[in-house]
Amino acid sequence: MIKDAVFVYSEDQMQYKFNDDHPFNHLRLRLTYDLLLSLGVIQEDDILTPRMATDEEINLFHDDAYIEAVQAAGKGTLSEGIAANYGIGTEDTPIFKNMHEASALLVGGTLTAVDAVMQNKAQHALHLGGGLHHGFRGRASGFCIYNDSAIAIEYMRRHYGARVLYIDTDAHHGDGVQWAFYDTPDACTLSIHETGRYLFPGTGSVNEKGQGQGFGFSINVPVDAFTEDDSFISCYETAIEEAAAFFKPDVILTQNGADAHYYDPLTHLSSTIKTFEMIPRLAHKLAHKYCGGKWIAVGGGGYDIWRVVPRAWSMLWLEMINRQDLLKHPIPPQWIETWQEQSPHPLPDKWTDPEDMYEHIPRQAEITGKNEKTLEKSLYYIRNEKKTKK
Ligand SMILES: [Zn+2]
């Protein structure tokens, strides 16, 4: 019998670690896994151990010279000058020991998830170690070395002949994945993110729609800073539904960065945990409506690793196994006891956020109106294409 979902996980993935002061911290994986264990919703036979991606697989997207540079950097044999050409050894993406192996294991995890779904071992697969959406063909960027999602999309095209709809809800634009498929109609990328006006990487405007044969297959919804739940969710819901109806995917790959939350130290959106409950709920519905359930979810950003990420990412798994009923209960006290001492903030004891988490700003109606106009522009092309086809 086909399983509802598999969870791709190994503690070895925490070896993707730049340094102790870096905001990217894969202790998040352990915190989430431990929360799911405390809930009693993950069994041994739900877990798949990630495999290591081969150089050939990484090469589905990345240049040979770049892979060689990452390998040399991880062995300590790459000069600073050459490293800079590849975006490594920077403040965002410093060199660390065995960085190639650690990065290849994250790619392999996403491929493990892909194979489980495409070979009908499970309807859905979750790999929280992936989602490194800023990696470019020949350059590291924004904490990302290898772009597991871009590799996975190309892998699904070649091995399974699949048309992939990629949905990215990280607060940062999913630039690496977008540019990877900018000129092809075989993959559709949709990114909803905080506008690039003040935020890395600065791209992701409504005008980035793809080029050549790929025109229309890149969709961007850049929402305003301080956007709250209702507006974010409404833009997301409309955009993913219309994109799926337009593109008719065989499989959905979602990138689930958890950095659109108000507490996130690197971004300026005002989502609460409610947004992270709705994101997988709507993606799940879409996967069953269009893809016979085929849905792979990966992680991504998320820099409040204590109060936000474990809850947000657990909600993905609870959605996949249809156990959202557990969200009515408190957070298991043993999870709080285990981790409270290490956390700089009091850990949440509920799945919801407090009503008074932040002061609502009077400008909210204006922001919502602006987002509605943005969404119109984002979907203008596919709405008109549909009309002319009829
Ligand atoms: Zn991000």
Side-chain angles (χ1 to χ4, degrees), residues 133-134 143 168 170-173 199-200 255 257-260 264 266-267 300-303:
H133 60 170
H134 298 305
F143 317 158
D168 186 319
D170 194 287
H172 300 92
H173 176 224
L199 189 70
F200 178 90
Q255 193 272 17
D259 48 4
D264 196 274
L266 299 192
T267 65
Y303 307 99

Side-chain angles (χ1 to χ4, degrees), residues 49-223:
T49 305
R51 65 179 170 84
M52 187 78 96
T54 63
D55 291 1
E56 204 184 355
E57 286 166 342
I58 297 168
N59 191 223
L60 284 171
F61 173 56
H62 294 288
D63 294 336
D64 285 325
Y66 174 59
I67 300 170
E68 281 162 24
V70 173
Q71 285 168 335
K75 290 187 196 124
T77 59
L78 191 74
S79 79
E80 252 178 62
I82 295 179
N85 294 338
Y86 296 105
I88 44 186
T90 60
E91 198 183 315
D92 270 6
T93 319
I95 290 170
F96 61 97
K97 200 169 169 245
N98 296 327
M99 65 195 291
H100 166 79
E101 289 75 10
S103 308
L105 188 62
L106 300 187
V107 175
T110 300
L111 298 179
T112 301
V114 160
D115 284 332
V117 168
M118 299 311 287
Q119 293 170 10
N120 291 315
K121 290 181 183 129
Q123 292 223 296
H124 321 308
L126 180 58
H127 174 236
L128 296 169
L132 277 67
H133 60 170
H134 298 305
F136 287 90
R137 198 172 293 279
R139 187 161 55 86
S141 173
F143 317 158
C144 304
I145 299 167
Y146 295 143
N147 193 325
D148 56 289
S149 299
I151 294 165
I153 293 169
E154 187 59 27
Y155 180 86
M156 284 189 266
R157 273 173 83 182
R158 302 235 190 144
H159 290 265
Y160 301 107
R163 285 161 58 78
V164 184
L165 172 60
Y166 170 81
I167 301 172
D168 186 319
T169 47
D170 194 287
H172 300 92
H173 176 224
D175 57 346
V177 184
Q178 169 179 295
W179 304 128
F181 302 99
Y182 208 57
D183 55 8
T184 169
D186 301 338
C188 180
T189 62
L190 164 63
S191 179
I192 176 166
H193 46 264
E194 178 183 333
T195 163
R197 232 171 308 149
Y198 312 107
L199 189 70
F200 178 90
T203 48
S205 91
V206 293
N207 301 322
E208 292 163 25
K209 292 187 188 301
Q211 68 188 14
Q213 297 251 300
F215 192 84
F217 297 95
S218 289
I219 302 165
N220 285 292
V221 187
V223 298

Side-chain angles (χ1 to χ4, degrees), residues 34-35 37-40 331-340:
D34 201 46
L35 179 52
L37 279 186
S38 317
L39 286 166
I331 300 285
Q334 71 264 38
W335 181 80
I336 300 174
E337 273 158 39
T338 307
W339 297 103
Q340 184 57 71

